[in-house]
């Protein structure tokens, strides 16, 4: 298995993975919308994507969005998306993608990576915790819908 930073040349391979990721979170399939969204991230340098390949085929991805911590006055990344094809799970791709994301963050001097997952996603939570991720016990999250 190879894990590397994706480029716009990987768009065709990433679109079906991104669409499947959205469907996992109960969104309707939208391949054209997925393509437009990912292309805009590449063109505007708004995210960093790593892709996992097995025998040359894309089987998973992780997407990081740059942000900052005002209190620490440092760069951070929001690990917003992690997805591995269902038939490729338990083969180490998720772990490898998370490790590559952390390696990248360290290399560019980021203070931390942060993520959120559904409370019911115990499989993902187990993976995160096995790699040293800590559940936030200090802050609770809030959201304000703008649509």
């Amino acid at each position: 298995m190879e894990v590397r930073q994706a480029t716009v040349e990987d768009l065709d391979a990433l679109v079906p993975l991104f669409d499947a990721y959205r469907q996992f979170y109960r969104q309707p399939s939208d391949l054209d919308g997925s393509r437009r969204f990912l292309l805009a991230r590449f063109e505007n340098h708004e995210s960093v994507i790593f892709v996992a390949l097995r025998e040359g085929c894309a089987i998973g991805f992780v997407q990081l969005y740059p942000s900052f911590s005002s209190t620490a006055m440092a760069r951070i990344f929001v690990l917003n998306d992690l997805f591995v094809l269902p038939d490729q799970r338990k083969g180490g791709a998720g772990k490898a993608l998370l490790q590559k994301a952390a390696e990248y963050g360290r290399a560019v001097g980021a203070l931390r990576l942060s993520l959120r997952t559904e409370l019911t996603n115990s499989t993902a939570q187990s993976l995160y915790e096995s790699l040293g991720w800590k559940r936030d016990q200090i802050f609770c999250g809030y959201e304000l819908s703008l649509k």
Side-chain angles (χ1 to χ4, degrees):
M1 180 177 41
E2 173 190 8
V3 177
R4 62 169 173 76
Q5 188 169 345
T7 68
V8 71
E9 286 77 30
D10 295 304
L11 189 62
D12 287 341
L14 289 169
V15 166
L17 290 173
F18 186 76
D19 191 59
Y21 166 79
R22 291 183 66 256
Q23 290 178 62
F24 177 82
Y25 283 105
R26 296 167 301 285
Q27 298 301 308
S29 178
D30 184 352
L31 290 169
D32 291 335
S34 294
R35 176 176 296 283
R36 285 190 305 273
F37 184 84
L38 289 173
L39 182 59
R41 302 297 72 75
F42 281 118
E43 289 179 341
N44 297 311
H45 307 286
E46 294 174 330
S47 72
V48 177
I49 302 173
F50 293 95
V51 61
L53 302 137
R54 184 166 280 136
E55 297 177 11
C57 296
I59 62 165
F61 77 98
V62 64
Q63 184 163 211
L64 304 173
Y65 291 106
S67 189
F68 296 90
S69 167
S70 297
T71 55
M73 297 183 294
R75 172 192 303 266
I76 63 172
F77 285 95
V78 176
L79 193 155
N80 204 69
D81 313 320
L82 173 65
F83 182 77
V84 175
L85 291 171
D87 67 346
Q88 296 293 317
R89 293 180 185 157
K90 306 284 186 202
K95 179 179 180 179
L97 286 162
L98 288 167
Q99 289 172 325
K100 184 63 89 170
E103 177 183 301
Y104 175 81
R106 286 185 196 98
V108 299
L111 176 66
R112 70 175 174 261
L113 302 180
S114 64
L115 65 78
R116 293 173 25 153
T117 192
E118 286 187 336
L119 293 174
T120 58
N121 195 346
S122 58
T123 301
Q125 292 167 34
S126 293
L127 174 60
Y128 304 142
E129 291 170 12
S130 76
L131 294 173
W133 289 74
K134 303 293 182 206
R135 185 185 294 247
D136 190 333
Q137 301 294 321
I138 300 170
F139 295 98
C140 59
Y142 290 87
E143 291 184 358
L144 174 65
S145 178
L146 301 176
K147 290 204 176 203

